[in-house]
Amino acid sequence: MNQIITIGREFGSGGRELGRRLSEALGIAYYDQEIVSEIAKRTELSEQYVREVEEHHSIFSYPIHIGQTFSIQPNIMLEQHAKIYAEQSRIIEEMASKSDCVIVGRCADVVLADFKPFRIFVYADLPSKMARCREKVPGERHLSDRELRQKILSVDKSRAKYYAFLTGRNWGDKLNFDLCVNTTQLVIKEIVPVLAKLFA
Amino acid sequence: MNQIITIGREFGSGGRELGRRLSEALGIAYYDQEIVSEIAKRTELSEQYVREVEEHHSIFSYPIHIGQTFSIQPNIMLEQHAKIYAEQSRIIEEMASKSDCVIVGRCADVVLADFKPFRIFVYADLPSKMARCREKVPGERHLSDRELRQKILSVDKSRAKYYAFLTGRNWGDKLNFDLCVNTTQLVIKEIVPVLAKLFA
């Protein structure tokens, strides 16, 4: 069976960077933008819309704030979201069947349970997540501390709701993961070569 | 500063085995029985009594069940426990000052905070902890499933109370650790050489 590594992560903890670097260290596939493109192709929705739904899971957090969708009726939106999530699950299953890979987010730890993935959760304390956001995302530099804190908490709350809704589990509960990595004091670039040895 | 590794662990998760093997892999000190002996020497209490207090933290879980101590007045017992915990903290600080080492339990992650320890938490799901207990502790083979489950839950509850009492923190909260290792599916003997590379 293919070696599948799933990465759950708190917003700003560097989980995506850890996933990407781990896939590079192992020389295996890393799926992220490809999933968005493939969903867009299959659902005939725009990539931007798919990305916004994936990022904000906004159906779970009324009122809706995803740009052009204000004019869409809630029932149509619900249908579109359901389509996106269904395609997303199908696509990550196809990808996991194809080859070894790293998949970040998307409840992949549960969706791909049959593949017996190695499940990593990446987290950090709030000050370090705020610092990482300011450093990595240029658009977030102008936010006040309070706004940034609010944004981080709100993204994670939305991820937690989405995860609970789709899986019936508590998001971030360490029992659902094989390894939980706190990036508050660890340097991702340094820890990845070590983690990679788990799969050697 | 010396490299200090602290291991918090759920009862039956194999945290002690992981700590011992890690110290062997790194060629550094592993303190466990030495701490008990040193406390006994300094407090003039028996090693058995010190071990029982360390294991059951029974002052936090009335009624008291530690063998010969039924006849001791609660206030004297409280005093003895306080003495044991104070000596314990002093001794692990002395040990951490002396050389690199691995210390399991004993709130060492908090007691030794000034040493900036690498803090590991070892945990597992209940069935796997039950299986490990039956395999490793001969005395627990005769317990029914229900009794063993009760024992595991009760030891962890007592550890949680002790940790909260001494540190003001939630025991097992992943934010208090750098790495959390789920031994439900991982083989300790296999993961230790990988973890050791974190300190190479």
Side-chain angles (χ1 to χ4, degrees):
Chain A
M1 201 185 291
N2 293 328
Q3 171 72 67
I4 311 301
I5 303 167
T6 64
I7 317 265
R9 78 293 184 214
E10 290 178 358
F11 184 69
S13 68
R16 181 169 282 177
E17 181 191 341
L18 189 144
R20 191 178 41 73
R21 286 184 184 277
L22 189 56
S23 72
E24 286 166 6
L26 294 168
I28 66 176
Y30 170 75
Y31 293 121
D32 187 11
Q33 177 54 37
E34 295 78 358
I35 300 176
V36 174
S37 307
E38 192 58 28
I39 295 172
K41 211 168 84 188
R42 297 191 192 182
T43 58
E44 298 183 331
L45 294 163
S46 77
E47 288 198 11
Q48 194 200 338
Y49 180 68
V50 171
R51 198 175 304 113
E52 279 172 347
V53 170
E54 276 208 333
E55 274 169 19
H56 303 288
H57 309 302
S58 55
I59 202 80
F60 304 107
S61 51
Y62 266 82
I64 305 151
H65 299 291
I66 50 170
Q68 299 123 314
T69 62
F70 273 113
S71 55
I72 301 179
Q73 297 286 321
N75 60 338
I76 296 184
M77 212 173 82
L78 186 59
E79 210 180 304
Q80 284 181 351
H81 282 223
K83 234 161 109 178
I84 288 173
Y85 295 131
E87 279 306 335
Q88 180 177 271
S89 298
R90 206 167 296 137
I91 290 165
I92 64 178
E93 277 180 8
E94 289 171 18
M95 285 167 167
S97 305
K98 221 160 49 186
S99 70
D100 298 351
C101 63
V102 174
I103 297 182
V104 175
R106 303 177 167 95
C107 304
D109 51 319
V110 177
V111 172
L112 300 179
D114 288 348
F115 291 83
K116 303 202 183 308
F118 190 91
R119 305 155 302 164
I120 298 176
F121 191 79
V122 184
Y123 63 104
D125 69 13
L126 197 54
S128 105
K129 290 190 285 191
M130 289 172 69
R132 185 173 276 107
C133 282
R134 290 207 189 280
E135 190 193 333
K136 303 270 172 182
V137 191
E140 272 149 24
R141 278 195 202 124
H142 70 278
L143 296 180
S144 70
D145 274 0
R146 192 185 158 160
E147 286 166 337
L148 184 53
R149 192 179 303 118
Q150 196 47 47
K151 177 171 179 178
I152 291 173
L153 295 175
S154 141
V155 171
D156 278 353
K157 197 170 166 188
S158 152
R159 286 182 182 169
K161 277 191 202 172
Y162 169 60
Y163 190 86
F165 177 77
L166 285 201
T167 71
R169 295 180 176 185
N170 282 337
W171 180 75
D173 179 345
K174 63 185 186 304
L175 210 44
N176 296 328
F177 300 93
D178 298 296
L179 203 65
C180 301
V181 181
N182 184 346
T183 55
T184 305
Q185 294 182 70
L186 293 177
V187 180
I188 293 174
K189 223 188 326 189
E190 290 172 6
I191 200 181
V192 162
V194 175
L195 292 182
K197 301 236 181 276
L198 283 171
F199 311 99
Chain B
M1 202 185 287
N2 293 328
Q3 172 72 67
I4 312 302
I5 302 168
T6 64
I7 316 264
R9 79 294 184 212
E10 289 178 359
F11 184 69
S13 67
R16 181 168 281 179
E17 181 191 340
L18 188 144
R20 192 179 40 73
R21 286 185 185 275
L22 189 55
S23 73
E24 286 165 7
L26 294 168
I28 66 177
Y30 170 74
Y31 292 121
D32 188 10
Q33 176 54 37
E34 295 78 357
I35 300 176
V36 174
S37 307
E38 192 58 28
I39 295 172
K41 211 168 83 187
R42 296 191 192 181
T43 57
E44 298 183 333
L45 295 163
S46 77
E47 288 198 12
Q48 193 200 339
Y49 180 68
V50 171
R51 197 174 305 113
E52 279 172 347
V53 170
E54 276 208 333
E55 273 169 20
H56 303 288
H57 310 302
S58 55
I59 201 80
F60 305 107
S61 50
Y62 266 83
I64 305 151
H65 297 292
I66 50 171
Q68 299 124 313
T69 63
F70 274 114
S71 55
I72 302 180
Q73 297 286 319
N75 60 338
I76 297 183
M77 213 173 82
L78 186 59
E79 209 180 305
Q80 286 180 350
H81 282 222
K83 233 161 112 179
I84 290 174
Y85 295 131
E87 278 308 335
Q88 180 176 270
S89 298
R90 207 168 294 139
I91 290 165
I92 63 178
E93 278 181 8
E94 289 171 18
M95 286 167 165
S97 304
K98 222 159 50 183
S99 70
D100 297 351
C101 62
V102 175
I103 297 182
V104 174
R106 303 178 167 94
C107 304
D109 51 319
V110 178
V111 172
L112 301 179
D114 288 348
F115 290 83
K116 303 203 182 310
F118 190 90
R119 304 155 303 164
I120 299 176
F121 191 79
V122 184
Y123 62 104
D125 70 13
L126 197 54
S128 106
K129 289 190 286 192
M130 288 171 70
R132 183 172 276 108
C133 282
R134 289 205 189 282
E135 189 193 335
K136 303 271 172 183
V137 191
E140 271 148 24
R141 278 195 203 126
H142 70 278
L143 296 180
S144 71
D145 274 1
R146 192 184 158 162
E147 286 166 338
L148 184 54
R149 192 179 303 118
Q150 196 46 46
K151 175 171 180 178
I152 292 173
L153 294 176
S154 141
V155 172
D156 279 352
K157 198 169 165 190
S158 152
R159 286 181 183 171
K161 276 192 204 170
Y162 170 61
Y163 189 85
F165 177 77
L166 285 199
T167 71
R169 295 180 175 185
N170 280 337
W171 180 75
D173 179 346
K174 63 185 185 304
L175 210 43
N176 297 328
F177 300 94
D178 298 296
L179 202 66
C180 300
V181 180
N182 185 343
T183 54
T184 305
Q185 295 181 69
L186 293 176
V187 180
I188 293 174
K189 223 188 325 191
E190 290 172 7
I191 199 180
V192 162
V194 175
L195 292 183
K197 300 232 181 282
L198 282 170
F199 311 99

